[in-house]
Amino acid sequence: MVDTDAALDRAGLRNVHVRDYVRHWAELTGADRVDVVDASDDARLIEESLAAGEIFPVGDGTYYSRSYIKDTARSEERTIVATSAPTDKGVYNNWRHAAEMHPIVEERMRGASAGKTMYVVPYLMAPPGSPLAPYAAGVELTDSRTVALHMIRMARVGVAYIDNLADPAMFVRAVHVTGDLENLGQGTPEDQRYFVTFADERTILHFGSSYGGNALLGKIAHGLRQAAYDGWATRGFLAEQFMLLGITDKQTGRKYHVCGGFPSASGKTNLAMTLAPDSLGDRYYVEFYGDDIAWMWVDPDDGRIRAINPEFGVFGVAKDTNEQTNPTALGATGAGTGAIFTNVAYNEKSHEVWWEGRTEDPPVDLDGWLDWTGAPIADRQEAARAQPWAHPNSRFTTALANVSNVAADFDEPNGVPIDAIIFGGRTRDREPLIRAITDVAEGVYDGLTLGAEATAAAEGVDGQLRYDPMSMRPFMSYPEGAYAQHWLDIIGAAREKPLFAHVNWFQRDPSDGHFRWPGYRDNLRALLWLIDLKNGEVEGIASAVGILPIKSELDLEGLIIDETDLDEVLSIDVDRWRQEMGFRETHLAQFGGLPEEIWKAHRRVADALDDDAT
Ligand code: GTP
Ligand code: SPV
Ligand code: MN
């Protein structure tokens, strides 16, 4: 039997609650060895993984990994929130009773790590010393070395984070067991995978994957599902799938902070890493705080909404990342950064990586190139030539410190004050470039009715139009009505309310499908208008769905756009919006206990559209 105590002693891990937990799961999963991981173990784990053929070298000091072909994205169907309170059941959280789920998952985990090492990864999902740090401590147990390497990049990892807890028993117990990936029936009626957050027990049990949000438990399962539940249960904070950025106006010396939710693979990472367009670069500077998660609370001293990014790294979409769209991401994954690329194409001879959109055309010389499944590109039959080289949800993983525009105060324990909250997504029609919302209930209503095209970040939903409240649909852990009320309570308690806005970089011309707005760096122009509006420097024009920019109020210097496209993204199609209100009514009606303020906001917008003569 594995000598867990000796391994814990060697690592100096003294917290008895953690020790009991590790011992229990080492026994249950039948792991052969226990390895307690600290961030300083990275070089050793990289060497071991290279030697074992689990990862491959890319250039100098970056790496490549491949996940099993049926394990390339989050599975929403197999993800469950389990508690002991049936009243926790919502529309999107796939609620099940905890008593039912424990035996089901544990039976699958029993003995499933035999022959493997169990890595003990103590972590903190917050800047140390943050008022929310008590909710941020966790210990992931994983039987995948690759997952341990990703956790070191994505979270603050080390025994020190859990050995001096104010309440030594208060840490999230997060167990990850990979399982026999080739025999789990992924996507069939016999699917064996279970990704369960036991939210009222602060325990996470994930079985049957080694990819992304299914396996890096600090990130999605703890950072979003568990934290959202904790924030609601304590009435203390919000945990959202939000990016967080700062914009400094060098002319006035003022700095603004904007956070907001776009569904998975819809532009959060890109926006937070944005460089100002060349023509505006002398005046504005964008700083990166976070690209996927923000925790928000009301500061008891100044009454403002403050936010932290609980993460320590970026797990970003590779597709279309290039020198023009996101040079920051390329820099953050360059030589010596320790970045890990997953499921992109790999050249086993030159040790290069490539993905769709990295360059306009794929490399001409096919020698050594393998697609994301490991198959040589040169061997492809004619019919397979058009297949992508990289998986559409292929990603890069790199620490925040590698991001060139990371804010100097990104790990400030008390976070940053929020000026504006934005929602957006891939919406091919209806949604203009930006519409600002000053009323809190209307802002919350807007978030709840965020409708967008789903992406390859989740299995089997790519391209589907669906509502994704606040971009939290896959991460919702408690009922939507209570969620809306919690939002109204937290934002309502702020003395200085953030401005809300809805943005859309993805409107298309139906005749040929081109994006009407150039996107990427130019997106900053919309945010600058929002800040001007907040400062009373522009007025915009009122519409039924919010305040729209007048063309002359936008800084358009250096923008290359067709005039018709610009006019389209700055106007609204009232008929299309009236139709939308019917869909929204059906969407909202699913949610039990939705606050009356939200229904009132809905009716105000509907009435304003009915009155609109344009
Ligand atoms: P998750 O990590 O899955 O939560 O996603 P994310 O919201 O951080 O998405 P990310 O920023 O990584 O963007 C995903 C995809 O959207 C990439 O392929 C980008 O190239 C593309 N994208 C981002 N911004 C824009 C934009 O302004 N216009 C267009 N057309 N595409 C964009
Ligand atoms: C998402 O899917 O929204 C992600 C990536 O941010 S994952 O960690 O796989 O959930
Ligand atoms: Mn995400």
Side-chain angles (χ1 to χ4, degrees):
M1 213 177 72
V2 47
D3 192 351
T4 305
D5 280 311
L8 296 172
D9 288 344
R10 271 199 306 281
L13 197 158
R14 290 180 305 272
N15 182 324
V16 293
H17 301 274
V18 176
R19 292 178 73 107
D20 286 348
Y21 155 70
V22 175
R23 230 183 270 115
H24 172 80
W25 286 98
E27 225 161 88
L28 189 142
T29 61
D32 277 14
R33 287 166 300 279
V34 167
D35 186 345
V36 182
V37 174
D38 185 275
S40 63
D41 291 318
D42 194 56
R44 168 178 68 85
L45 294 171
I46 288 279
E47 283 315 313
E48 291 174 10
S49 295
L50 285 166
E54 294 157 358
I55 61 170
F56 304 91
V58 176
D60 196 8
T62 60
Y63 309 95
Y64 175 60
S65 82
R66 204 178 274 135
S67 70
Y68 175 59
I69 48 164
K70 292 182 190 163
D71 183 31
T72 55
R74 281 182 293 100
S75 165
E76 295 185 358
E77 254 178 41
R78 309 300 303 171
T79 300
I80 289 163
V81 173
T83 69
S84 298
T87 47
D88 285 344
K89 180 177 167 60
V91 174
Y92 295 133
N93 66 353
N94 271 344
W95 182 87
R96 305 269 285 272
H97 203 288
E100 176 201 348
M101 291 317 297
H102 270 295
I104 294 179
V105 193
E106 281 158 31
E107 178 203 324
R108 283 165 177 76
M109 288 186 164
R110 196 174 301 281
S113 301
K116 295 185 175 181
T117 298
M118 187 174 92
Y119 297 91
V120 177
V121 186
Y123 64 80
L124 188 69
M125 297 303 292
S130 166
L132 298 186
Y135 304 98
V139 180
E140 174 160 356
L141 308 178
T142 174
D143 61 5
S144 161
R145 184 158 37 204
T146 317
V147 167
L149 284 170
H150 278 79
M151 281 296 290
I152 288 176
R153 283 152 183 75
M154 296 303 298
R156 293 161 173 90
V157 168
V159 168
Y161 295 117
I162 44 104
D163 246 357
N164 295 302
L165 300 176
D167 174 356
M170 191 170 159
F171 61 93
V172 168
R173 289 148 173 86
V175 186
H176 166 245
V177 173
T178 304
D180 179 8
L181 293 175
E182 292 176 27
N183 293 294
L184 295 178
Q186 292 93 336
T188 71
E190 282 75 48
D191 206 321
Q192 298 296 304
R193 301 172 298 167
Y194 281 97
F195 308 120
V196 189
T197 296
F198 295 88
D200 56 353
E201 299 170 25
R202 307 193 79 234
T203 294
I204 296 163
L205 304 180
H206 279 210
F207 173 80
S209 166
S210 67
Y211 194 68
N214 296 336
L216 314 178
L217 303 187
K219 182 177 177 55
I220 301 289
H222 180 169
L224 286 174
R225 289 189 197 97
Q226 182 65 55
Y229 193 90
D230 290 343
W232 169 61
T234 60
R235 302 296 187 265
F237 63 103
L238 295 166
E240 305 294 327
Q241 189 194 201
F242 277 13
M243 61 87 214
L244 173 55
L245 57 78
I247 302 174
T248 299
D249 180 342
K250 292 186 243 177
Q251 202 162 297
T252 62
R254 289 185 66 179
K255 185 168 178 185
Y256 305 89
H257 299 94
V258 179
C259 67
F262 311 164
S264 303
S266 301
K268 294 183 299 298
T269 304
N270 276 263
L271 192 63
M273 290 186 177
T274 293
L275 301 175
D278 286 335
S279 55
L280 305 179
D282 288 342
R283 177 158 178 195
Y284 300 102
Y285 181 60
V286 179
E287 281 168 280
F288 181 104
Y289 283 89
D291 74 325
D292 202 43
I293 306 179
W295 291 2
M296 286 171 282
W297 72 101
V298 182
D299 185 288
D301 295 328
D302 67 6
R304 296 192 69 181
I305 299 289
R306 300 193 74 91
I308 52 165
N309 168 16
E311 301 196 90
F312 200 54
V314 176
F315 183 56
V317 174
K319 188 173 186 318
D320 287 332
T321 301
N322 60 49
E323 277 85 1
Q324 277 71 47
T325 58
N326 195 349
T328 311
L330 294 183
T333 54
T337 57
I340 303 174
F341 300 91
T342 306
N343 292 345
V344 298
Y346 179 67
N347 191 308
E348 58 181 346
K349 293 185 179 161
S350 65
H351 299 170
E352 295 165 280
V353 285
W354 191 84
W355 51 84
E356 274 60 34
R358 173 67 187 83
T359 50
E360 203 168 319
D361 297 308
V364 180
D365 181 2
L366 302 185
D367 190 36
W369 279 107
L370 307 175
D371 70 12
W372 69 272
T373 69
I377 300 280
D379 294 356
R380 283 187 167 187
Q381 302 295 310
E382 189 63 41
R385 294 270 153 80
Q387 295 288 315
W389 289 25
H391 188 279
N393 190 39
S394 59
R395 292 187 179 242
F396 57 83
T397 309
T398 194
L400 290 186
N402 292 322
V403 177
S404 58
N405 70 331
V406 74
D409 59 344
F410 83 87
D411 58 1
E412 162 61 40
N414 211 30
V416 293
I418 296 301
D419 295 285
I421 297 177
I422 63 178
F423 300 110
R426 293 175 179 267
T427 314
R428 60 182 58 235
D429 69 350
R430 184 173 54 82
E431 281 296 357
L433 177 66
I434 185 165
R435 48 187 179 86
I437 298 162
T438 51
D439 177 76
V440 171
E442 269 174 44
V444 174
Y445 162 75
D446 187 73
L448 294 171
T449 51
L450 166 52
E453 292 149 39
T455 66
E459 290 176 354
V461 296
D462 199 5
Q464 268 176 45
L465 253 185
R466 61 180 195 175
Y467 288 105
D468 190 339
M470 316 284 196
S471 76
M472 283 291 282
R473 178 178 171 137
F475 315 116
M476 205 63 99
S477 53
Y478 59 99
E480 291 75 10
Y483 177 81
Q485 187 61 55
H486 187 43
W487 257 89
L488 292 172
D489 292 345
I490 294 279
I491 307 295
R495 279 206 292 279
E496 190 182 321
K497 309 275 191 281
L499 185 58
F500 286 86
H502 199 108
V503 300
N504 183 23
W505 326 135
F506 297 94
Q507 199 178 124
R508 291 177 189 257
D509 180 339
S511 68
D512 63 0
H514 80 263
F515 289 115
R516 291 193 187 274
W517 177 252
Y520 299 107
R521 295 170 75 162
D522 289 312
N523 297 339
L524 186 64
R525 299 175 195 273
L527 300 188
L528 294 176
W529 174 82
L530 188 64
I531 288 168
D532 284 349
L533 185 73
K534 190 156 197 232
N535 289 336
E537 285 157 19
V538 297
E539 283 182 0
I541 181 152
S543 85
V545 292
I547 305 167
L548 305 177
I550 299 170
K551 211 194 288 188
S552 59
E553 294 172 343
L554 279 173
D555 195 329
L556 299 175
E557 200 190 327
L559 179 74
I560 301 168
I561 189 171
D562 182 279
E563 205 62 29
T564 319
D565 284 339
L566 182 59
D567 291 338
E568 283 293 331
V569 301
L570 295 181
S571 59
I572 65 159
D573 176 343
V574 173
D575 286 336
R576 178 67 186 80
W577 268 98
R578 286 181 184 142
Q579 177 198 31
E580 166 67 13
M581 296 310 283
F583 303 147
R584 287 187 170 190
E585 189 129 354
T586 312
H587 163 65
L588 292 178
Q590 306 170 83
F591 304 147
L594 204 60
E596 188 48 33
E597 275 169 274
I598 299 299
W599 281 116
K600 279 188 188 149
H602 174 72
R603 285 193 291 269
R604 272 200 304 280
V605 175
D607 289 347
L609 282 163
D610 284 342
D611 292 346
D612 196 320
T614 53

